[in-house]
Amino acid sequence: MIETLHQRRVLLVIGGGIAAYKALDLIRRLRERGASVCPVLTAGAQEFVTPLAAAALAGERAHTDLFDRASEAEIGHIKLARQADAVVVAPATANLMARMAGGHAADLATTILLATTLPILLAPAMNVQMWAHPATRRNRAILEGDGIRIVGPNAGRMAEPESGPGRMAEPNEIADALERMLGLQAGDGPLVGRRVLVTSGPTHEPIDPVRYIANRSSGRQGHAIAAAAAAAGAAVTLVSGPVALPDPPGVAVVQVETAREMLAAVEAALPADIAVFAAAVADWRPEHEAGTKKIKKDGTGPAPMSLVENPDILATIARRPAGRPPLVVGFAAETDRVIEHARAKIARKGCDLIVANDVSAEGGVMGGADNAVHVIRRDGTVETWPRLGKDEVARRLVAHFAGLLAD
Ligand code: C5P
């Protein structure tokens, strides 16, 4: 995974609400992106999660008390408030927002929030009525006037039967908002606020610990699409098989080896607005799990190997009963009757669009720098593009996807 928050330090203030359990997941997401996290728990937070759990996930101690001999001697709350790149408050309860708006400094969390000059991001979480209350609206306006950023809350299912805005933003949304606040994500472009998932590269299907089945995909087109989507402002997750390419800038990369790992990583990365399946997934894998021992030559000829079919990742996601991305894009690498096969593939896989290319040996597409593609839609329309560099194909595809999403 590319570390979009590499060497950034986040002071995470966890407030006292049921969403505090999601703050634990937030610690993990921030660390995945390369950040170090210093957790601070209010007394209320400790009713929901323990400092030990926060410390275990952060890999460092969690702070809870204003007058804590150990940390006062070592660092102290003023230092805590300075030695970071940003402060994130998640969940920010109505009470915590009120205390911040009033400039209170009665415990460690509010003292840090008053003492800090760092950028602050709040992820509010509270009951719908509390969020709608004029007092909370006033406090929110005061905090925004003070330059504090707010992400969420989202509408949706909550602990109480009411529904409406109040549910804390998801950990990845908070991490994205933090990156935007720190200027680490492009702030404009047609895909700002969108989530894009891309698969890329080949998969390797182990035969034994040293041998595997693979194909010639270089991952260049998929990686270029991920980079172009990030440049267009999207939050991008790239699930990549083994490739010899650098991680594209500003993209969260999940590295996998096999088709089954790729499917699991794709499912974990959802939801997404656009899912682009550019990986050349191995269609088959050896039936028997690779053991830890190399298969030996014993002079009687090759060991028999039976193959079984891999899951079809594109079809699985395109046919998902719930949470299907609004735009699902497949690729078709064909050596003949490219368009005809691509049309059939749309119907078979249930995707919205197929990007088809001719990978016959004379084209040099596989592993090469150029690509000549046809973009085929579910309604049967075909656009045939001239031969272009893979980066340019990626830019045009991303613009095309953004246009379809906006329609
Ligand atoms: O069936 P075929 O391999 O030609 O389909 C290609 C498209 O399906 C590509 O978008 C590829 O990423 C996707 N695919 C997949 N999982 C598989 C096989 C193909 O996602 N097991």
Side-chain angles (χ1 to χ4, degrees):
M1 156 167 290
I2 185 156
E3 302 201 327
T4 43
L5 288 169
H6 180 60
Q7 289 189 340
R8 308 290 162 146
R9 184 157 178 76
V10 179
L11 194 65
L12 175 64
V13 174
I14 306 177
I18 180 66
Y21 79 92
K22 283 207 276 184
L24 296 181
D25 190 37
L26 175 61
I27 296 176
R28 191 174 286 161
R29 303 289 155 234
L30 292 171
R31 292 195 68 199
E32 269 173 13
R33 297 181 190 213
S36 64
V37 179
C38 172
V40 173
L41 283 79
T42 65
Q46 293 169 64
E47 298 291 330
F48 296 94
V49 295
T50 65
L52 193 61
L57 289 166
E60 59 180 86
R61 70 170 285 214
H63 302 266
T64 52
D65 296 309
L66 185 53
F67 303 107
D68 172 339
R69 270 201 208 111
S71 86
E72 284 302 318
E74 287 162 23
I75 22 180
H77 57 266
I78 301 294
K79 273 204 189 144
L80 268 183
R82 302 231 165 98
Q83 289 178 342
D85 295 287
V87 184
V88 175
V89 185
T93 59
N95 180 35
L96 196 48
M97 286 177 68
R99 289 191 290 150
M100 286 177 73
H104 292 237
D107 61 2
L108 180 62
T110 48
T111 303
I112 287 173
L113 287 162
L114 195 62
T116 191
T117 53
L118 299 171
I120 301 176
L121 176 68
L122 297 191
M126 65 193 72
N127 165 276
V128 183
Q129 312 300 345
M130 288 166 83
W131 177 248
H133 195 284
T136 306
R137 293 221 294 264
R138 255 191 328 268
N139 291 333
R140 177 189 176 171
I142 291 172
L143 294 168
E144 284 182 324
D146 290 345
I148 290 173
R149 307 282 187 104
I150 296 187
V151 53
N154 295 340
R157 223 156 55 93
M158 308 223 288
E160 293 101 350
E162 294 121 301
S163 65
R167 187 184 153 89
M168 189 169 88
E170 294 306 315
N172 272 326
E173 290 173 325
I174 299 173
D176 288 343
L178 173 65
E179 288 179 8
R180 283 195 294 278
M181 183 172 84
L182 294 175
L184 301 171
Q185 274 193 1
D188 53 5
L191 290 180
V192 167
R194 303 290 196 175
R195 295 184 68 83
V196 175
L197 170 67
V198 182
T199 69
S200 184
T203 62
H204 285 182
E205 309 295 333
I207 298 168
D208 69 13
V210 294
R211 306 180 179 96
Y212 55 85
I213 298 177
N215 60 63
R216 293 187 191 282
S217 167
S218 66
R220 287 175 80 152
Q221 190 63 77
H223 276 54
I225 291 169
V236 183
T237 302
L238 172 64
V239 179
S240 175
V243 293
L245 296 172
D247 289 344
V251 170
V253 181
V254 184
Q255 277 162 1
V256 297
E257 233 177 77
T258 66
R260 286 181 296 173
E261 286 168 9
M262 186 172 274
L263 175 59
V266 162
E267 285 178 330
L270 290 175
D273 299 292
I274 306 176
V276 184
F277 295 91
V281 183
D283 291 314
W284 301 284
R285 67 173 185 274
E287 183 177 11
H288 299 291
E289 296 277 322
T292 51
K293 289 209 180 79
K294 183 178 166 190
I295 301 168
K296 288 265 184 277
K297 274 187 296 216
D298 62 4
T300 61
M305 184 171 65
S306 50
L307 300 175
V308 288
E309 203 160 322
N310 265 328
D312 190 312
I313 303 167
L314 166 61
T316 306
I317 302 304
R319 298 201 181 284
R320 236 173 178 238
R324 179 194 191 272
L327 183 60
V328 177
V329 181
F331 270 68
E334 306 285 354
T335 50
D336 63 313
R337 298 194 301 182
V338 176
I339 292 173
E340 190 185 325
H341 284 145
R343 283 204 176 112
K345 198 163 288 184
I346 290 185
R348 205 166 62 240
K349 307 245 185 185
C351 55
D352 304 299
L353 204 73
I354 285 273
V355 181
N357 45 26
D358 184 343
V359 292
S360 52
E362 57 270 26
V365 162
M366 213 75 172
D370 289 346
N371 208 354
V373 304
H374 312 273
V375 180
I376 297 125
R377 292 179 39 180
R378 210 209 293 253
D379 62 10
T381 52
V382 182
E383 276 185 34
T384 296
W385 295 356
R387 191 181 175 98
L388 299 162
K390 285 185 178 172
D391 289 342
E392 183 55 24
V393 169
R395 273 192 290 276
R396 291 190 188 200
L397 283 174
V398 163
H400 193 80
F401 302 157
L404 288 176
L405 215 55
D407 280 349

